[in-house]
Amino acid sequence: MTSEGLRIPCLEFSGVELGKKEGSEEWREMSKKVRDACESHGCFIMVYDDKVSKGLRDDMFLCMKEVFDLPEETKKKYISSKPYRGYNSECPFIPLSQSFGIDDAPLPQTSQAFTNLMWPQGNPTFCETLNSMSSKLLDLSLEVLKMIVEGYGLPKEYSSEIQELQSCSNFRLMKYKVGQNSEVCETGLLPHTDKSALTILCEFQVEGLEVLTKSNQWVPVKIPQEGFVVIVGDVLKAWSNGRLHSATHRVMMKEGKERYSIALFGVPKEETKIEVPAELVEDNIHPLRYRPFTYGDYFKYFVSTLHHNALDVFAGVS
Ligand SMILES: O=C(O)CCC(=O)C(=O)O
Ligand SMILES: [Fe+2]
């Protein structure tokens, strides 16, 4: 593979003012680059400093430290019957990882309920920061979805259809502790693909995310201070008839320092049907790869099998 294939594409969005310029030449050009990156690598670095201010980002990471520093019994109060939600820690397979998975944090009442549980006496700064950061990340990933529709030259109607694939969200706050033996590289998170449509993620100062290229090489992802990484998940892979690549990724702790990251997973409602648009099926070059399925059924299948190739086994058309 060429070194070009190993480099994660980096797209400079600053100044593009996506919302206002939708449909402009500049926006259409960027849409092509987004599509190309999502097809070739299943992810890209998005530099977009005027959408999420440095102040908000710094506040978010300060807030994260505050919440992870709470006593274990307080954090454990955040429980959920849904996998990957609630407070997760001490998992035998990923002992360094702790996370809070918050559904629909862009809704003010959800951010408020989580904050009240952690700080019954109130913590308005935390609540506002959580709500504002999650809303901005959701907006950003919805903009990327619109660009994907444009990148494929699909009719406008698909812009609203594709947004259905992210009508819910899971905002995850993650901390990775330093292992017993901080000199060796330890696994923070095992290799996986995301079960989202898109994931948008940033980290605080310490690196660790790695992506598996199509030629089977692990490449460290350098997320700039003012940037994000956008990762294609299984939902978008299925919807696009397998043209968009859902990149396998993992976290390796190499720096011997604790790491904080945040991610917004855009997901469909359980009952949403994921179906390949007819325009993305072409008899010889792109025959239909996935049957229609509902998100809830797929997610249940994944959780019950944890199959590394769950999407193809569950919905693949052979
Ligand atoms: O912390 C990271 O950088 C990656 C997290 C991740 O891949 C996930 O939670 O699905
Ligand atoms: Fe992930």
Side-chain angles (χ1 to χ4, degrees), residues 192 194 249 265:
H192 63 281
D194 288 345
H249 52 284
F265 301 83

Side-chain angles (χ1 to χ4, degrees), residues 150-165:
E150 168 65 29
Y152 281 110
L154 292 172
K156 271 267 172 288
E157 305 85 85
Y158 283 111
S159 282
S160 50
E161 189 193 293
I162 203 172
Q163 308 242 341
E164 294 277 299
L165 304 182

Side-chain angles (χ1 to χ4, degrees), residues 84 99 172 174-176 189-190 192-195 199 201-203 206-210 223 229 231 249-251 259-263 265:
Y84 309 109
S99 67
R172 206 171 298 161
M174 291 166 280
K175 174 180 177 178
Y176 301 89
L189 206 58
L190 296 167
H192 63 281
T193 57
D194 288 345
K195 305 299 164 257
T199 302
L201 182 143
C202 61
E203 66 191 5
V206 178
E207 292 174 9
L209 180 64
E210 295 185 353
I223 312 173
V229 59
I231 304 174
H249 52 284
R250 66 180 181 186
V251 173
R259 174 172 187 264
Y260 291 89
S261 61
I262 52 180
F265 301 83

Side-chain angles (χ1 to χ4, degrees), residues 77-96:
K77 284 201 287 178
Y78 190 51
I79 45 174
S80 168
S81 55
K82 283 169 81 183
Y84 309 109
R85 273 66 172 181
Y87 177 61
N88 295 288
S89 69
E90 292 157 29
C91 168
F93 305 115
I94 42 166
L96 304 182

Side-chain angles (χ1 to χ4, degrees), residues 33-66:
K33 290 186 190 160
V34 166
R35 169 188 163 178
D36 287 349
C38 293
E39 287 190 346
S40 60
H41 290 77
C43 63
F44 63 90
I45 302 291
M46 173 188 244
V47 179
Y48 202 168
D49 50 6
D50 41 7
K51 179 79 182 180
V52 178
S53 69
K54 183 169 179 324
L56 176 58
R57 191 187 279 252
D58 290 351
D59 288 350
M60 186 68 234
F61 282 109
L62 280 176
C63 282
M64 272 177 77
K65 189 153 175 20
E66 207 183 341

Side-chain angles (χ1 to χ4, degrees), residues 3-282:
S3 60
E4 192 52 31
L6 289 179
R7 214 168 36 87
I8 308 296
C10 180
L11 306 183
E12 172 63 69
F13 279 65
S14 303
V16 176
E17 287 187 85
L18 293 176
K20 281 190 212 138
K21 301 231 174 120
E22 198 179 319
S24 68
E25 191 61 30
E26 194 184 11
W27 185 84
R28 289 210 302 263
E29 252 167 49
M30 187 59 99
S31 302
K32 290 268 173 306
K33 290 186 190 160
V34 166
R35 169 188 163 178
D36 287 349
C38 293
E39 287 190 346
S40 60
H41 290 77
C43 63
F44 63 90
I45 302 291
M46 173 188 244
V47 179
Y48 202 168
D49 50 6
D50 41 7
K51 179 79 182 180
V52 178
S53 69
K54 183 169 179 324
L56 176 58
R57 191 187 279 252
D58 290 351
D59 288 350
M60 186 68 234
F61 282 109
L62 280 176
C63 282
M64 272 177 77
K65 189 153 175 20
E66 207 183 341
V67 75
F68 279 110
D69 283 349
L70 287 171
E72 214 45 34
E73 64 268 26
T74 309
K75 293 187 277 187
K76 283 187 175 154
K77 284 201 287 178
Y78 190 51
I79 45 174
S80 168
S81 55
K82 283 169 81 183
Y84 309 109
R85 273 66 172 181
Y87 177 61
N88 295 288
S89 69
E90 292 157 29
C91 168
F93 305 115
I94 42 166
L96 304 182
S97 154
Q98 300 181 341
S99 67
F100 289 95
I102 308 165
D103 270 339
D104 299 318
L107 299 177
Q109 63 272 32
T110 311
S111 300
Q112 191 67 62
F114 176 72
T115 309
N116 289 351
L117 192 66
M118 295 296 107
W119 291 277
Q121 70 284 17
N123 187 341
T125 307
F126 182 93
C127 184
E128 272 168 44
T129 309
L130 178 70
N131 185 246
S132 167
M133 188 74 182
S134 57
S135 307
K136 294 230 155 142
L137 294 189
L138 183 60
D139 286 355
L140 268 182
S141 71
L142 290 171
E143 286 182 14
V144 174
L145 281 186
K146 278 196 235 160
M147 292 187 133
I148 287 173
V149 169
E150 168 65 29
Y152 281 110
L154 292 172
K156 271 267 172 288
E157 305 85 85
Y158 283 111
S159 282
S160 50
E161 189 193 293
I162 203 172
Q163 308 242 341
E164 294 277 299
L165 304 182
Q166 298 204 137
S167 50
C168 300
S169 68
N170 175 20
F171 192 48
R172 206 171 298 161
L173 312 179
M174 291 166 280
K175 174 180 177 178
Y176 301 89
K177 295 183 289 182
V178 179
Q180 303 286 6
N181 185 353
S182 59
E183 259 111 74
V184 296
C185 174
E186 290 185 273
T187 304
L189 206 58
L190 296 167
H192 63 281
T193 57
D194 288 345
K195 305 299 164 257
S196 53
L198 282 175
T199 302
I200 182 159
L201 182 143
C202 61
E203 66 191 5
F204 188 65
Q205 291 172 353
V206 178
E207 292 174 9
L209 180 64
E210 295 185 353
V211 167
L212 190 64
T213 63
K214 286 189 175 175
S215 62
N216 261 333
Q217 275 173 281
W218 286 106
V219 181
V221 183
K222 291 195 182 307
I223 312 173
Q225 290 289 313
E226 69 289 7
F228 306 92
V229 59
V230 178
I231 304 174
V232 174
D234 286 356
V235 168
L236 217 51
K237 178 179 181 181
W239 176 87
S240 67
N241 200 23
R243 295 188 188 202
L244 300 176
H245 173 63
S246 66
T248 298
H249 52 284
R250 66 180 181 186
V251 173
M252 298 304 285
M253 301 289 288
K254 292 184 198 150
E255 295 191 38
K257 292 186 198 145
E258 62 184 19
R259 174 172 187 264
Y260 291 89
S261 61
I262 52 180
L264 190 291
F265 301 83
V267 293
K269 291 195 175 72
E270 286 192 2
E271 63 276 17
T272 299
K273 196 177 188 196
I274 296 151
E275 189 163 18
V276 178
E279 289 86 343
L280 295 184
V281 182
E282 284 172 65

